[in-house]
Amino acid sequence: MIEQVLLFTLVASFLIAVLSSPFFIPLLRRLKFGQSIRDEGPKSHQKKQGTPTMGGIVIVLALVIATYAMTAKFFAVTAETHLLILVTLGYGLIGFLDDFIKVVKKRNLGLTSKQKLIGQLIIAALFFIGLRAIDFSTEISVPGTDFSFDLGWFYPVLVVFMLIGASNAVNLTDGLDGLLAGTAAIAFGAFAVLSSTILQFEAAIFCVAVVGAVLGFLVFNAHPAKVFMGDTGSLALGGAISAVAILTKLEILLVIIGGVFVIETLSVMIQVASFKLTRKRVFKMSPLHHHYELSGWSEWRIVVTFWLVGLVFAALGIYLEVWV
């Protein structure tokens, strides 16, 4: 039965995203919610100036509707489902405010780093309070082993670190047409498989709803993109995937399954550290996908390569949890 439920959820979420996008995209264009391209970015991106952004609204709308509809119909809406939606909507709201300031207030940097961090901390705190309310375990397990240990009072620190770290890492990955939509679909697909395996069906339904939503969005976001998800979508997806990893007790596996996001973040950290210490750059530009752009790779080649790398990481994560 669960396989049918997951298939229905996938189809429902996909259809909501695909059918609603043709209405949202012209609306975003009429509202002049166009993407601003920074001058220091790759010159090839200048032609994307004015492409409607904040399309993440479609993703969030589709996944929330599909998750609640299918969970309520076939199971019961639990606290875990509410917590997943809380994080998704919360981080999506932060991203929406960031996008709104960029495109409407004409401030290219959107929210300040401090404002964004405060918002992320508030949502993370609310999420942890919810975990406490359901008497959540503070133990974590090491993938591929029978070893586990209790973090105790340090667990809330881990929760905050994961939510903020993942949301920012996923946000950094959103730089090319279809790049984040594809890698997110792969990562959430892996967590859907694992959630089903450990019988956490609420999380599985949520993950499949995300996959359907981002694939539906990808129809319009693939190169050349007709719409961008903006921070509205990327922050929501980043918060959501870390919340899934926490609720399924697969915290460490997030680093593996989200390997592309980790690599993109590390490339930025290495670039900044190298420039501060030696005044030299390791990459032509960071995040890493821009390095390959400036090395002459086509946008589509970079995106497909990153998708394949994401598939390898997803397969490795599933292998470590299920077969080792």
Side-chain angles (χ1 to χ4, degrees), residues 34-47:
Q35 179 73 38
S36 296
I37 305 298
R38 292 182 297 174
D39 293 335
E40 61 269 26
K43 299 302 179 185
S44 60
H45 285 210
Q46 293 303 316
K47 61 185 178 183

Side-chain angles (χ1 to χ4, degrees), residues 203-253:
I205 289 175
F206 175 81
C207 288
V208 168
V210 176
V211 173
V214 294
L215 288 180
F217 179 78
L218 184 58
V219 172
F220 303 90
N221 182 239
H223 185 70
K226 298 178 178 65
V227 64
F228 300 137
M229 70 172 69
D231 288 0
T232 306
S234 60
L235 288 180
L237 292 174
I241 197 167
S242 56
V244 168
I246 292 166
L247 282 170
T248 54
K249 302 305 298 176
L250 300 172
E251 297 95 340
I252 296 178
L253 272 184

Side-chain angles (χ1 to χ4, degrees), residues 19-254:
L19 296 177
S20 62
S21 290
F23 294 96
F24 269 100
I25 294 172
L27 176 61
L28 293 171
R29 188 174 287 113
R30 284 198 299 272
L31 293 173
K32 301 187 185 302
F33 286 179
Q35 179 73 38
S36 296
I37 305 298
R38 292 182 297 174
D39 293 335
E40 61 269 26
K43 299 302 179 185
S44 60
H45 285 210
Q46 293 303 316
K47 61 185 178 183
K48 301 182 182 185
Q49 184 84 23
T51 301
T53 188
M54 300 170 73
I57 296 172
V58 171
I59 297 174
V60 174
L61 178 70
L63 74 89
V64 169
I65 292 174
T67 297
Y68 274 134
M70 294 302 170
T71 304
K73 181 174 178 61
F74 294 103
F75 296 98
V77 180
T78 63
E80 285 81 1
T81 299
H82 290 313
L83 285 174
L84 289 170
I85 299 299
L86 165 70
V87 172
T88 304
L89 290 177
Y91 278 80
L93 176 60
I94 296 170
F96 176 84
L97 293 174
D98 195 41
D99 287 333
F100 186 82
I101 292 170
K102 289 176 184 176
V103 301
V104 177
K105 301 297 184 180
K106 306 301 179 184
R107 279 169 43 191
N108 276 346
L109 296 179
L111 293 171
T112 65
S113 298
K114 184 177 181 180
Q115 290 170 332
K116 193 178 292 186
L117 179 60
I118 290 173
Q120 291 172 317
L121 284 171
I122 290 173
I123 302 303
L126 291 174
F127 179 69
F128 183 73
I129 291 171
L131 292 179
R132 290 290 300 274
I134 61 175
D135 196 25
F136 199 71
S137 170
T138 56
E139 283 192 357
I140 64 172
S141 302
V142 178
T145 73
D146 295 325
F147 182 69
S148 64
F149 54 96
D150 194 339
L151 286 181
W153 62 267
F154 190 74
Y155 194 78
V157 178
L158 176 66
V159 169
V160 171
F161 177 79
M162 287 181 64
L163 286 171
I164 295 177
S167 62
N168 290 329
V170 171
N171 180 247
L172 288 172
T173 307
D174 185 27
L176 298 177
D177 298 353
L179 176 58
L180 178 53
T183 50
I186 293 165
F188 276 99
F191 274 111
V193 171
L194 294 175
S195 298
S196 300
T197 302
I198 61 178
L199 306 181
Q200 293 211 19
F201 298 133
E202 301 95 335
I205 289 175
F206 175 81
C207 288
V208 168
V210 176
V211 173
V214 294
L215 288 180
F217 179 78
L218 184 58
V219 172
F220 303 90
N221 182 239
H223 185 70
K226 298 178 178 65
V227 64
F228 300 137
M229 70 172 69
D231 288 0
T232 306
S234 60
L235 288 180
L237 292 174
I241 197 167
S242 56
V244 168
I246 292 166
L247 282 170
T248 54
K249 302 305 298 176
L250 300 172
E251 297 95 340
I252 296 178
L253 272 184
L254 177 61

